[in-house]
Amino acid sequence: MHTLRRVFAAAAGVATVLALVAGQPAGAQEPTAPDQGLYQVRGADTATSRTAVARSGVDVLGARDGTMEVVASPAQADALRAKGLTLDLAGDWLAMLARRSGGVSRAAAADFPAGDEGYHTYDEMVAALQAAASAHPDTTALSSLGDSYEGRDIPIIKISDNAAADEDEPEVLFTCNMHAREHLTTEMCLHIVDRLTSGASEFVNSREIYVVPSLNPDGSVYDISGGEYQGWRKNRQPNSNGTVGTDPNRNFSYKWGCCDGSSTSPSAEDYRGPSARSAPEVAALQAFVDSRVVGGVQQIKGHIDFHTFSELVLWPFGHTFDTVTEGMTQAEYDHFKSIGQQMAASNGYTPDQSSGLYITDGDINDWMWGQHKVLSYCFEMYPSSGGLDGFYPPDEVIAEQTSRNDGAVDILLTNAT
């Protein structure tokens, strides 16, 4: 199974991949385009052209080094080709999902698909946080942001030398699993909890650190439902047209829907929702951050929101290509860039302003800075590319790819003052 996932992840040999998917020899005529095709898009070499791709309604999986990976219908693929872009079909998205899950269906999602049991399910994640709180009662405090749409608790754990008290120390927030299929990020947040509670960091004595391992528990549970990967991104909140899901990372209040950086279509993967903070998960996170304004001063000074994939360190703003604009001075931008470059140097990621990828609006990083002036970054984790396998890397990489960010986490903690 792991061998197959690496075959699909390989960037070279698109014809060979087609042969694997279509069951015909390499070099044979390209099969009829599937209803949901995985494509490599070439020619989108600028942020403007990548934004045009993102605005076309396709599901953008990742973007790096001039190539975007998207899931598109035949009509969407034809429309992008008409814009002068080159699209290489890499496979049938739904067939690849089924094959990636090993073809094993279980009635209930008791665990991840066979071979990936090293990932934490929602229940296992909650149990891990409870165990950490029980083992370290003086330095941890486990609580809740509130409930998801389907009624699941959204746990948040505080780590500090005197966790029960609200001390006058800089606060730092780490959030993960905003998008359901990005399970490696939950492991990243759990790794942060484990490292900081094990006494490996001096920051526990000088910071109050909050960690939210899953901001989208409903979507995460659904994504492994039946023991098969679903490729699900959004939350599980029903829409008026019968579809399901709002993209939480297009639903935050700052500049919500301002700049054509999200979709008004409920069927779209980047659907912004009917109104700002309409997703209960987003409303819960915003309420928590708002509550950390004490005496008129925001206590949270630094934040990283972890995503997969593309190996990027991104900073605000996402809603505009401008660096100096409303809410961002040159000195503030330079500060963001300097720290972002330091973190990227520590983990080998590529640093950039968020809009350098493509325009987004209503995302968490723009809201954290635009509303609260929190030094907020988006990390796109391992791998640098990979199509379907970019979201479902083998569990053998968890330890290496989470510890890879230890230095970057420490750099943010150092600069959160």
Side-chain angles (χ1 to χ4, degrees):
M1 183 174 172
H2 291 168
T3 299
L4 183 59
R5 66 161 65 99
R6 294 186 181 100
V7 170
F8 282 123
V14 171
T16 302
V17 175
L18 285 171
L20 287 171
V21 174
Q24 56 183 306
Q29 184 177 1
E30 181 175 311
T32 302
D35 290 340
Q36 295 185 48
L38 173 63
Y39 293 90
Q40 292 181 341
V41 181
R42 293 183 285 113
D45 298 324
T46 66
T48 300
S49 59
R50 288 189 292 272
T51 297
V53 173
R55 287 173 174 168
S56 71
V58 300
D59 180 6
V60 179
L61 309 185
R64 187 181 172 98
D65 300 330
T67 298
M68 301 181 72
E69 295 178 276
V70 306
V71 176
S73 67
Q76 289 170 330
D78 288 343
L80 290 176
R81 290 188 177 108
K83 295 179 182 294
L85 299 168
T86 299
L87 274 71
D88 296 323
L89 178 63
D92 183 323
W93 177 248
L94 296 180
M96 293 171 76
L97 277 170
R99 186 178 290 109
R100 177 61 179 75
S101 300
V104 178
S105 179
R106 294 192 283 267
D111 210 336
F112 275 75
D116 284 342
E117 295 91 345
Y119 284 94
H120 286 74
T121 64
Y122 171 77
D123 289 340
E124 291 168 344
M125 177 268 292
V126 171
L129 295 179
Q130 291 171 337
S134 177
H136 307 280
D138 294 334
T139 58
T140 62
L142 182 60
S143 58
S144 174
L145 290 179
D147 290 341
S148 67
Y149 175 80
E150 293 181 339
R152 291 182 177 86
D153 181 58
I154 305 173
I156 179 170
I157 190 167
K158 178 183 177 182
I159 305 169
S160 189
D161 60 346
N162 188 11
D166 189 359
E167 297 182 299
D168 186 19
E169 297 175 341
E171 299 179 7
V172 179
L173 174 66
F174 298 102
T175 53
C176 294
N177 195 213
M178 178 109 55
H179 291 142
R181 60 198 177 192
E182 299 172 13
H183 301 284
L184 183 61
T185 66
T186 294
E187 305 305 320
M188 183 67 237
C189 272
L190 290 176
H191 172 73
I192 291 172
V193 171
D194 182 66
R195 189 167 78 98
L196 296 182
T197 56
S198 68
S201 174
E202 71 277 11
F203 296 106
V204 174
N205 295 325
S206 60
R207 303 287 189 274
E208 293 183 318
I209 302 160
Y210 294 94
V211 184
V212 182
S214 179
L215 269 172
N216 187 359
D218 298 346
S220 180
V221 169
Y222 177 77
D223 190 55
I224 60 170
S225 58
E228 297 181 354
Y229 290 122
Q230 306 298 319
W232 192 257
R233 170 185 170 97
K234 300 187 286 184
N235 75 354
R236 294 295 297 167
Q237 188 173 6
N239 299 316
S240 59
N241 69 344
T243 62
V244 175
T246 291
D247 182 348
N249 210 30
R250 301 295 184 271
N251 190 240
F252 284 80
S253 297
Y254 185 77
K255 300 291 185 180
W256 177 82
C258 73
C259 310
D260 203 15
S262 56
S263 179
T264 60
S265 170
S267 303
E269 294 295 334
D270 62 346
Y271 174 51
R272 69 178 64 134
S275 59
R277 61 176 289 170
S278 58
E281 301 85 358
V282 171
L285 190 281
Q286 286 197 189
F288 168 73
V289 176
D290 289 344
S291 77
R292 299 315 304 147
V293 177
V294 179
V297 179
Q298 174 58 252
Q299 304 301 296
I300 299 174
K301 305 302 182 182
H303 167 243
I304 297 176
D305 186 42
F306 290 96
H307 289 259
T308 60
F309 58 91
S310 289
E311 297 186 357
L312 304 170
V313 173
L314 305 173
W315 56 84
F317 283 122
H319 72 270
T320 176
F321 294 128
D322 294 337
T323 57
V324 178
T325 184
E326 176 191 359
M328 183 77 73
T329 67
Q330 186 67 59
E332 289 168 339
Y333 181 84
D334 291 345
H335 188 51
F336 259 116
K337 182 177 180 180
S338 174
I339 296 170
Q341 289 176 331
Q342 292 175 50
M343 293 192 292
S346 75
N347 60 15
Y349 291 7
T350 298
D352 201 355
Q353 181 177 340
S354 180
S355 60
L357 199 59
Y358 48 82
I359 290 290
T360 61
D361 50 36
D363 65 81
I364 188 173
N365 304 108
D366 276 17
W367 181 79
M368 292 288 286
W369 175 256
Q371 182 66 32
H372 286 288
K373 288 295 186 272
V374 174
L375 199 64
S376 180
Y377 291 87
C378 171
F379 277 31
E380 293 282 357
M381 293 180 66
Y382 173 92
S384 60
S385 62
L388 175 66
D389 288 331
F391 296 122
Y392 306 116
D395 58 10
E396 289 88 349
V397 309
I398 291 173
E400 176 186 10
Q401 294 303 323
T402 55
S403 61
R404 179 178 176 181
N405 282 313
D406 289 351
V409 165
D410 288 353
I411 290 169
L412 183 76
L413 287 166
T414 298
N415 285 277
T417 58

